[in-house]
Amino acid sequence: MRLIAVMVAKPGQQLARAIKSEEGTILLNKGARLTEKLIGRLKGIGVSFIYIQDDQIQLPEIEQVISTETREYTINQLKKDFIDLANEWKKNANHFSSFQLNLEFEDAVRLLIGDIKSKPNALTLLLSATSHDHYIFTHSFNVTVYSIGLAVELNYSERQLLEVGLGALLHDIGKMSTPLEILEKPGKLTKEEFEIVKTHSKIGYDLLRQTKHIPLQVAKCAHQHHERLNGTGYPQGLKEDEIHPYAKIIAIADVFDAVTTNRVYRKKPMLPHEALELLYSGASTLFDLSLVTAFRKTIAVYPIGLMVTLSDNRKGVVFQQNREMSTHPIIKVLYEDGVKLEVPYFIDLMKHLNITIIGTDAFEEQS
């Protein structure tokens, strides 16, 4: 079993893990043989990466940090309330009259916190290949998972974890006011369209701050998650300590998920290590360096099943994560100097810090 990008999948390959809808319905079973039509369908429903069967690569069972039940419950709550809001916006001539916080939202966040704290594994959402019919639902879920994971790493209290989780879950609620044709536009937005998109932060903030039982700091997450340390963000151009700590966390999770998932306006998604490099390139100017460093500890920088090339020209597959050092997983070595080994062996990169991963093969076409 190995991890590949859907864009390089080939007819005849077999799925090693099932593809599910956001609600948990199985769309393609494990073992399904891919065809051109099925590959096109996977691209069309927003699946970025899949696991395919490979008899030469035997991997241990991969445990998902977030249970299927928690995921389905959270996505369903988002869909129900967000769709109602979108309909209300249209009905009331571009105005939200009110938003009633569902207690189910808090329940969903508590379930996510419980799952993350009970399984101290590196977070990766590439393992759960799911389709989506509106990216906001999946994106809000993913951002919440990454934000809570980072907050746990920072030893936040239970109350703080709940507030960060709610802030992340509702950070894009204002986008229910944004026309779908703009959100799903495949090309670059015009200046006017981008100005419309930017209004979602203020609209979400105004909606949440007048909602009963929503702490002000949760509303600030909707308002400030696009602010940047150097003042180049929006809507207020806040700097440094003017930005709420929760919003700084969600900003990192927001960008990370945005670049690692399929979007209609992007040719291909990034792998986690590439997204992390992007965050580091903006550390101390756009994002808080200490938060980016802590975030690196929480995610699977190199997901299990990913084919990698090492600095000494060996090649293998990521076999197991090292939670203490996510950039240095355990590798099952399959090739040395381009020659396939009859007997593969393991190398723990955390015990060999002079050896690093210098390349990945998820986007390479292979026979």
Side-chain angles (χ1 to χ4, degrees), residues 1-3 51 57-60 62 122 124 127 271 273 300-310 315-322 325-334 345-347 349 357 359-361:
M1 178 174 76
R2 58 189 169 94
L3 182 70
Y51 280 96
I57 303 175
Q58 302 298 321
L59 297 176
I62 303 172
T124 178
L127 303 184
L271 283 162
H273 70 282
V301 179
Y302 297 100
I304 291 173
L306 181 66
M307 291 291 294
V308 297
T309 300
L310 303 181
K315 191 172 180 178
V317 63
V318 178
F319 186 82
Q320 186 177 319
Q321 302 294 332
N322 272 319
M325 192 177 288
S326 60
T327 54
H328 289 65
I330 297 173
I331 306 298
K332 186 175 185 178
V333 178
L334 305 172
Y345 61 90
F346 297 95
I347 179 171
L349 296 186
I357 294 173
T360 61
D361 289 2

Side-chain angles (χ1 to χ4, degrees), residues 173-270:
I173 196 169
K175 280 189 177 173
M176 291 299 97
S177 68
T178 308
L180 205 55
E181 59 268 23
I182 293 180
L183 289 178
E184 297 186 347
K185 183 178 178 179
K188 184 178 180 180
L189 297 180
T190 65
K191 184 177 179 181
E192 293 75 19
E193 289 169 335
F194 185 52
E195 288 302 317
I196 292 173
V197 170
K198 286 166 65 175
T199 63
H200 80 275
S201 299
K202 179 69 162 56
I203 290 172
Y205 172 68
D206 288 341
L207 176 64
L208 293 175
R209 72 188 176 96
Q210 65 185 15
T211 301
K212 287 184 179 179
H213 311 303
I214 289 278
L216 181 60
Q217 50 266 42
V218 171
K220 285 183 177 180
C221 294
H223 203 202
Q224 299 179 7
H225 66 279
H226 285 292
E227 300 288 359
R228 298 295 181 257
L229 295 186
N230 62 2
T232 58
Y234 67 85
Q236 297 174 285
L238 301 179
K239 294 182 179 180
E240 299 284 348
D241 292 340
E242 295 173 334
I243 306 170
H244 195 280
Y246 295 173
K248 291 179 182 179
I249 287 174
I250 294 169
I252 289 170
D254 182 50
V255 170
F256 183 82
D257 183 67
V259 299
T260 54
T261 52
N262 256 335
R263 295 291 178 89
V264 290
Y265 52 79
R266 187 183 299 112
K267 288 185 178 180
K268 70 175 186 177
M270 291 182 178

